[in-house]
Amino acid sequence: MTSVQFTVGKLDAGMAILLTEDHHLIEFPSLLLPKGVTSGSIVNIAVSRNVPEEEKKMKEFWELQQSILTTFGSKEPEQPVVRVKNITQTSLILEWDPLVLQKAKLRSLDIYKNDTKLAQHVPSDTSFIKLSGLDVDHEFEFHIVIKTTSGEYQSNKVTARTHKMENLTGIRVAFGMFEEPEPAISEMKDLLTKMGASWSDQVSVETTHLLAQLPGGANYDRAVQHSIPIVKPEWLVQCDRNKKIQPALPYYIVSVPNNE
């Protein structure tokens, strides 16, 4: 224990100015001084090291550090895994497995095409994105980069080529309202099978066209919401007859203004 004698020089705003015998000044909280101390009073202040309490606090500190390491630092986020599906002449779907972030939080997810970052926003709760406006019969390379509170992680790179105009296998249709659903829809399904194309009962992100004769219905509303072309069955017939994908605009069931 060390004891030092001080002379109280000044008391002001809760602080005391203490003067040592060798004329050093220190500031000391007046609340800790004995009652009745004023300017000119002489006080002795004793200081000792509390080793047991120091060891206790140090132990608690390192236990906390170990707990933080175990909870947040033992496992890093996993590298994303991406793949391409539903390729057409001008679009495709880039899909990735659910992100495994461990204890980290996602800050952003960016799409790269041929090593160039795309401006498209990707919601944090989705695991795919539909990329449109691609060149026909062209090869592209894609990957994603996720930024997390634990760092930045890049996925594998995947290569995909968009279809030629003669390749009809990328067509995936759903069906809307028909004046007489049967046998019209069954005939359309047989034609799709013959072409190597596909169909689904409901509109999804993979749907390229909605075949219908009349507006209305749940599939129609979803197609409108997702800007999916809604065309008459004759469009599919012409695709098969010409052995190449046909423009959708002339077959829209709702008249579209021509701006030319």
Side-chain angles (χ1 to χ4, degrees):
M1 179 181 293
T2 301
S3 180
V4 181
Q5 179 177 293
F6 296 91
T7 300
V8 179
K10 182 181 179 182
L11 295 170
D12 184 38
M15 297 300 295
I17 305 299
L18 304 183
L19 178 65
T20 65
E21 292 180 344
D22 54 355
H23 310 295
H24 287 92
L25 294 176
I26 68 167
E27 291 186 348
F28 193 80
S30 60
L31 184 65
L32 301 180
L33 294 176
K35 291 182 178 180
V37 169
T38 62
S39 296
S41 298
I42 295 177
V43 296
N44 285 349
I45 297 178
V47 180
S48 63
R49 183 178 181 182
N50 191 337
V51 176
E53 189 65 21
E54 182 180 320
E55 291 175 347
K56 176 185 176 183
K57 295 297 182 183
M58 187 61 68
K59 180 181 178 182
E60 292 175 352
F61 171 79
W62 285 114
E63 287 177 349
L64 176 61
Q65 297 303 305
Q66 185 61 42
S67 175
I68 293 173
L69 177 61
T70 301
T71 303
F72 298 100
S74 58
K75 293 183 179 180
E76 292 187 12
E78 296 181 6
Q79 182 187 37
V81 177
V82 301
R83 55 190 167 273
V84 171
K85 59 186 296 186
N86 203 48
I87 302 173
T88 70
Q89 281 73 11
T90 59
S91 68
L92 55 79
I93 294 175
L94 187 66
E95 184 181 59
W96 51 90
D97 293 337
L99 300 178
V100 181
L101 301 178
Q102 306 298 351
K103 294 296 183 178
K105 293 183 179 180
L106 181 66
R107 287 181 171 171
S108 66
L109 189 155
D110 298 315
I111 309 293
Y112 285 78
K113 180 181 74 175
N114 296 338
D115 291 325
T116 300
K117 179 180 174 181
L118 302 182
Q120 290 176 267
H121 171 70
V122 182
S124 59
D125 59 348
T126 189
S127 59
F128 65 87
I129 185 170
K130 187 170 185 178
L131 302 176
S132 304
L134 304 176
D135 293 336
V136 176
D137 190 24
H138 195 85
E139 187 172 275
F140 300 93
E141 184 181 74
F142 300 95
H143 71 276
I144 67 173
V145 173
I146 61 171
K147 294 179 181 178
T148 75
T149 52
S150 293
E152 185 175 301
Y153 300 86
Q154 178 177 309
S155 74
N156 58 306
K157 293 186 176 182
V158 292
T159 301
R161 176 178 287 276
T162 50
H163 289 174
K164 296 180 179 180
M165 296 302 291
E166 295 79 11
N167 187 342
L168 304 178
T169 59
I171 296 175
R172 183 174 178 83
V173 307
F175 300 98
M177 302 275 294
F178 280 74
E179 295 175 357
E180 295 184 8
E182 293 299 337
I185 292 180
S186 294
E187 292 174 353
M188 291 297 102
K189 290 179 179 179
D190 292 341
L191 184 56
L192 287 164
T193 301
K194 171 190 171 186
M195 295 163 55
S198 58
W199 56 272
S200 61
D201 291 325
Q202 296 183 340
V203 170
S204 69
V205 67
E206 298 180 14
T207 303
T208 60
H209 299 79
L210 179 73
L211 296 183
Q213 292 177 334
L214 302 170
N219 276 349
Y220 180 89
D221 293 339
R222 280 194 289 268
V224 171
Q225 180 182 356
H226 296 290
S227 300
I228 295 172
I230 304 171
V231 295
K232 301 173 184 176
E234 286 78 6
W235 171 81
L236 188 64
V237 173
Q238 290 302 318
C239 287
D240 176 61
R241 181 173 298 168
N242 292 279
K243 305 305 179 186
K244 63 191 301 186
I245 196 164
Q246 298 297 300
L249 185 59
Y251 301 94
Y252 277 7
I253 67 170
V254 177
S255 178
V256 177
N258 192 335
N259 295 326
E260 293 183 2

